């Protein structure tokens, strides 16, 4: 499994510990649903201005958000919905964009650590890459169950 992390902002310090939290969050989420380990996920860490621009360009929502997911393949609740022809060693699942600035704001607002917020946003986004959503209440409950299960397994409970 390959996890690429790139920090493109300078407002919040992103050290090796935060990078490790992101890597662990991706890996712990994927191992629940995917038997193979030949997957690749890219994580881009940005500020509020950058993610606002992405949100406007890709979702027509002109405001900042905490995280965006850009899946490559179609999944539904962790199940691949299309055939994949493997031509490389690693299969790219998609890209995740996290506003670390927004994550810090939310961590303060919710009264928990930046580490927990970054882990939550990463798990949440990987679940989106795997076809989970939270528009309908039943789907939201399923997604929240997995989020809490994964965070608990990492020792990052509320």
């Amino acid at each position: 499994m390959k996890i690429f992390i790139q920090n493109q902002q300078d407002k919040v310090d992103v050290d090796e510990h935060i990078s490790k939290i992101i890597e662990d969050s991706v890996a712990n989420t994927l191992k629940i649903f995917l038997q193979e380990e030949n997957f690749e996920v890219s994580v881009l860490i940005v500020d509020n201005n950058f993610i606002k621009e992405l949100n406007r360009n890709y979702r027509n929502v002109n405001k900042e958000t905490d995280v965006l997911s850009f899946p490559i393949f179609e999944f539904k609740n962790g199940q691949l919905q299309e055939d994949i022809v493997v031509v490389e060693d690693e299969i790219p699942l998609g890209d995740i964009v996290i506003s670390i600035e927004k994550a810090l704001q939310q961590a303060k607002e919710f009264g928990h650590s930046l580490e927990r917020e970054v882990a939550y946003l990463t798990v949440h986004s990987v679940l989106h890459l795997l076809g989970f959503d939270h528009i309908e209440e039943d789907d939201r409950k399923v997604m929240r169950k997995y989020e809490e299960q994964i965070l608990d397994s990492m020792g990052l409970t509320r």
Side-chain angles (χ1 to χ4, degrees):
M1 179 178 318
K2 288 186 181 174
I3 303 162
F4 298 101
I5 301 171
Q6 182 179 3
N7 181 18
Q8 275 196 240
Q9 58 79 50
D10 59 6
K11 294 181 179 176
V12 177
D13 183 39
V14 177
D15 58 15
E16 289 183 26
H17 180 65
I18 293 291
S19 294
K20 179 79 167 103
I21 292 282
I22 292 170
E23 289 174 4
D24 290 348
S25 299
V26 172
N28 286 327
T29 306
L30 291 181
K31 74 180 182 182
I32 292 175
F33 301 100
L34 304 175
Q35 305 306 315
E36 303 292 324
E37 290 195 13
N38 60 332
F39 293 98
E40 173 183 303
V41 173
S42 295
V43 181
L44 183 62
I45 301 169
V46 301
D47 62 20
N48 285 344
N49 289 333
F50 192 96
I51 207 161
K52 179 181 178 180
E53 185 177 327
L54 287 178
N55 207 19
R56 182 178 60 243
N57 291 341
Y58 289 96
R59 297 179 61 229
N60 293 317
V61 178
N62 192 25
K63 67 178 190 173
E64 62 197 37
T65 188
D66 47 13
V67 67
L68 292 170
S69 306
F70 297 95
I72 293 176
F73 299 106
E74 184 178 346
F75 280 82
K76 177 67 176 161
N77 294 333
Q79 298 295 314
L80 187 62
Q81 301 296 300
E82 58 186 290
D83 292 330
I84 297 176
V85 176
V86 179
V87 294
E88 299 288 332
D89 290 339
E90 307 293 329
I91 301 167
L93 290 179
D95 301 321
I96 295 170
V97 183
I98 297 172
S99 171
I100 195 76
E101 186 179 6
K102 187 74 164 175
L104 182 59
Q105 292 168 354
Q106 290 178 171
K108 290 177 182 175
E109 179 183 330
F110 298 137
H112 55 242
S113 68
L114 176 61
E115 290 81 359
R116 190 208 183 276
E117 187 65 17
V118 168
Y120 169 79
L121 294 175
T122 305
V123 169
H124 182 87
S125 193
V126 173
L127 288 171
H128 278 309
L129 293 182
L130 296 173
F132 288 89
D133 213 332
H134 47 81
I135 295 171
E136 301 294 328
E137 182 63 20
D138 288 344
D139 294 336
R140 186 190 68 76
K141 287 178 182 178
V142 170
M143 195 167 176
R144 294 294 177 260
K145 179 189 81 149
Y146 282 120
E147 290 165 349
E148 291 305 320
Q149 174 188 337
I150 294 161
L151 293 174
D152 287 349
S153 75
M154 296 174 64
L156 294 168
T157 56
R158 287 188 182 259

